[in-house]
Amino acid sequence: MAGASAVFIMDMKGKVIISRNYRGEVPMNITERFQQHVIDAEDAVIKPVFCEDGISFAWIQYNNLYLLAVTQRNSNATLIVAFLYRLAEVLRDYFNELEEESIKDNFVITYELLDEMMDNGYPQTTEVKILREYIKTQSHQLSVDQMRPPTAVTNAVSWRSEGIKHKKNEIFLDVVERLNLLVSANGSVLRSEILGALKMKSYLSGMPELKLGLNDKLLFEATGRPVAKGKSVEMEDIKFHQCVRLARFENDRTISFIPPDGEFELMSYRLNTHVKPLIWVEAVVDPGHSRSRIEYMIKAKSQFKSRSVANNVEIHIPVPSDVDSPSFKTSIGTVRYIPDQDCIVWSVKQFQGQKDYIMTANFGLPSVGAENRDAYMKAPMSVKFEIPYFTVSGVTVRYLKIIEKSGYQALPWVRYITQNGDYQLRMV
């Protein structure tokens, strides 16, 4: 692991806003080459990692900034790119929003963070909760006692300080799944993907050891347990928080970890499974004979279990750009026309499972039609929703064990939520 020689934060024109040269191996005008290879180059030839004259460049773009790391040694490119993403997350956490202005307004803190997060080009403390203990956003808040970095920085567990105490020991686990779906007008699913995340809020004293069990298909196979059809889930692209013991997971698929204090994302995963639409929307559009009016009939049907309820459902239906005098009729919820987005939004506060509802909309059309009036038909309908106590993949938490040497009793709370991701249904 050879690390990075220098890190640069630049604007969209390639002008350096702030930089940190860790080893003095590379000239500081090296960013001119980055400009030639990335900013002035065509999109088709741009590479996220490239080499020139024995110097390797790794970069990411975040809002209106480029974060660039260069190295003269044979470094691990994945490690450097991962560090740049982590740096962006830490800066965003400190400044609420990471963009050109926030860096210019916070030079001192940015330099401090660059020094603490990387030492001689090697990544060090990247956990924002620990950094916040000794790098304060207002320098006068730092007393003499706080000048000493917390022991977590030098511990094996760099993401959690020792001696944490809570009056009530609790841990909250949210299994949040987002459904990306694209459905053709005849009802066939063209693309379906589930993006899941396990989000935790930990309020536990001491140094607890947690063990989490999921209905993971590979776990059942590794332990030789019989598994009923549909009771296990095969996860892909699993990404863990740094607190998870990866060797243990690789060995026997057990997720064991010492959690950071407070809120964090334990893991994320993806499933490429065929999912039928949870909320199916059908649109019948009647342009009328006279072409002076257009009528919509929208039928929405929930295809999840009847005991579940989808909250805050919003169905966005595209309409021609030149419609006027809207009138709506619906059996449930409210409908509004949003002219600047050329769509109508049908909002339903609570959509019960296994129900269907109909909404009709009437619009007037000007006698002289716009040239691209029928273009709206090519735009898909989109649906927003949130279904509590339900996971579309069937992921379930089998157990969450909390072990702490003092032997206190802690309460684990688990809830499941399914939300829309990029959820679209074509009209034609």
Side-chain angles (χ1 to χ4, degrees):
M1 185 180 91
S5 301
V7 171
F8 301 86
I9 299 177
M10 298 173 288
D11 64 16
M12 295 306 285
K13 292 177 183 171
K15 185 183 169 197
V16 177
I17 302 169
I18 196 166
S19 65
R20 182 72 177 85
N21 193 349
Y22 293 102
R23 296 179 181 154
E25 295 174 334
V26 293
M28 294 308 275
N29 63 355
I30 196 82
T31 52
E32 291 170 12
R33 296 192 200 173
F34 172 78
Q35 214 167 329
Q36 294 161 13
H37 282 272
V38 176
I39 297 168
D40 300 338
E42 290 180 17
D43 287 354
V45 295
I46 293 174
K47 299 171 185 172
V49 178
F50 62 91
C51 293
E52 190 179 280
D53 295 341
I55 295 173
S56 302
F57 296 73
W59 63 278
I60 64 167
Q61 186 182 339
Y62 194 98
N63 291 342
N64 58 354
L65 294 171
Y66 287 113
L67 279 71
L68 166 70
V70 294
T71 179
Q72 210 169 23
R73 307 183 192 187
N74 185 16
S75 298
N76 181 334
T78 310
L79 174 122
I80 291 176
V81 171
F83 172 78
L84 292 176
Y85 276 110
R86 194 79 198 112
L87 174 63
E89 278 177 40
V90 169
L91 292 171
R92 192 197 66 202
D93 199 281
Y94 263 82
F95 311 144
N96 293 329
E97 193 49 68
L98 176 56
E99 50 192 28
E100 197 178 324
E101 283 305 307
S102 56
I103 294 290
K104 286 177 177 174
D105 292 344
N106 296 281
F107 270 129
V108 176
I109 298 240
T110 307
Y111 271 122
E112 284 186 53
L113 288 168
L114 285 170
D115 275 345
E116 290 300 335
M117 290 180 71
M118 192 168 254
D119 186 16
N120 194 32
Y122 297 107
Q124 298 292 312
T125 310
T126 58
E127 184 59 46
V128 73
K129 289 185 180 71
I130 301 300
L131 288 164
R132 276 191 179 279
E133 287 187 28
Y134 61 104
I135 297 179
K136 306 289 183 183
T137 41
Q138 290 172 318
S139 54
H140 60 77
Q141 288 182 345
L142 211 60
S143 68
V144 178
D145 297 337
Q146 293 168 317
M147 291 299 282
R148 194 175 65 252
T151 50
V153 174
T154 51
N155 273 2
V157 182
S158 63
W159 53 88
R160 186 181 179 92
S161 297
E162 288 178 359
I164 293 172
K165 285 189 172 66
H166 289 284
K167 281 184 180 176
K168 196 175 181 185
N169 291 298
E170 292 182 304
I171 188 147
F172 300 88
L173 173 59
D174 284 352
V175 181
V176 182
E177 290 191 339
R178 299 177 79 86
L179 176 60
N180 293 342
L181 199 73
L182 180 61
V183 186
S184 68
N186 64 8
S188 59
V189 176
L190 303 174
R191 179 176 73 98
S192 71
E193 170 183 68
I194 301 161
L195 301 176
L198 270 65
K199 296 181 180 180
M200 276 194 153
K201 282 183 188 171
S202 166
Y203 306 109
L204 299 172
S205 307
M207 274 285 179
E209 172 86 31
L210 272 68
K211 286 182 183 170
L212 175 71
L214 303 171
N215 57 338
D216 176 13
K217 188 178 180 185
L218 294 178
L219 167 70
F220 288 137
E221 286 173 1
T223 52
R225 280 184 229 171
V227 57
K229 191 177 183 298
K231 294 284 187 206
S232 67
V233 175
E234 194 168 350
M235 297 176 178
E236 300 169 43
D237 293 348
I238 299 174
K239 184 176 136 196
F240 287 114
H241 186 275
Q242 62 177 357
C243 66
V244 175
R245 293 189 176 86
L246 294 179
R248 183 86 189 269
F249 181 76
E250 290 292 333
N251 192 30
D252 59 8
R253 304 289 288 190
T254 302
I255 302 169
S256 73
F257 57 99
I258 295 171
D261 196 47
E263 206 169 325
F264 68 101
E265 187 175 289
L266 178 68
M267 67 177 275
S268 60
Y269 58 89
R270 183 174 66 86
L271 285 115
N272 250 337
T273 49
H274 183 82
V275 181
K276 70 173 185 179
L278 295 176
I279 296 176
W280 165 246
V281 183
E282 207 175 329
V284 178
V285 184
D286 180 11
H289 297 300
S290 61
R291 306 281 290 180
S292 63
R293 293 201 69 74
I294 188 167
E295 187 177 316
Y296 282 76
M297 191 186 80
I298 309 295
K299 184 180 177 186
K301 185 180 183 201
S302 55
Q303 303 193 118
F304 47 87
K305 291 174 184 170
S306 57
R307 65 170 180 265
S308 295
V309 176
N311 295 330
N312 304 319
V313 176
E314 278 190 6
I315 302 167
H316 293 244
I317 304 120
V319 297
S321 55
D322 55 352
V323 294
D324 55 37
S325 55
S327 66
F328 307 111
K329 194 177 165 190
T330 175
S331 53
I332 190 171
T334 58
V335 189
R336 66 188 192 278
Y337 169 49
I338 304 175
D340 56 344
Q341 292 178 22
D342 295 330
C343 76
I344 48 178
V345 179
W346 181 11
S347 305
V348 181
K349 206 83 181 142
Q350 291 194 309
F351 203 129
Q352 194 77 33
Q354 298 296 316
K355 296 271 184 188
D356 49 43
Y357 300 105
I358 289 175
M359 182 270 287
T360 54
N362 269 287
F363 292 95
L365 289 170
S367 51
V368 179
E371 281 179 32
N372 57 347
R373 178 181 279 173
D374 292 339
Y376 75 95
M377 292 294 282
K378 292 175 184 171
M381 297 179 286
S382 63
V383 186
K384 293 180 181 177
F385 58 85
E386 188 174 273
I387 309 171
Y389 319 115
F390 174 82
T391 55
V392 67
S393 68
V395 166
T396 51
V397 176
R398 290 170 43 242
Y399 60 83
L400 179 57
K401 294 176 184 169
I402 302 157
I403 305 147
E404 216 278 330
K405 60 187 176 197
S406 65
Y408 62 69
Q409 289 297 306
L411 294 167
W413 304 91
V414 181
R415 66 176 178 173
Y416 302 93
I417 305 163
T418 293
Q419 299 170 335
N420 65 288
D422 187 14
Y423 191 105
Q424 298 183 334
L425 302 103
R426 289 180 179 169
M427 289 169 68
V428 288

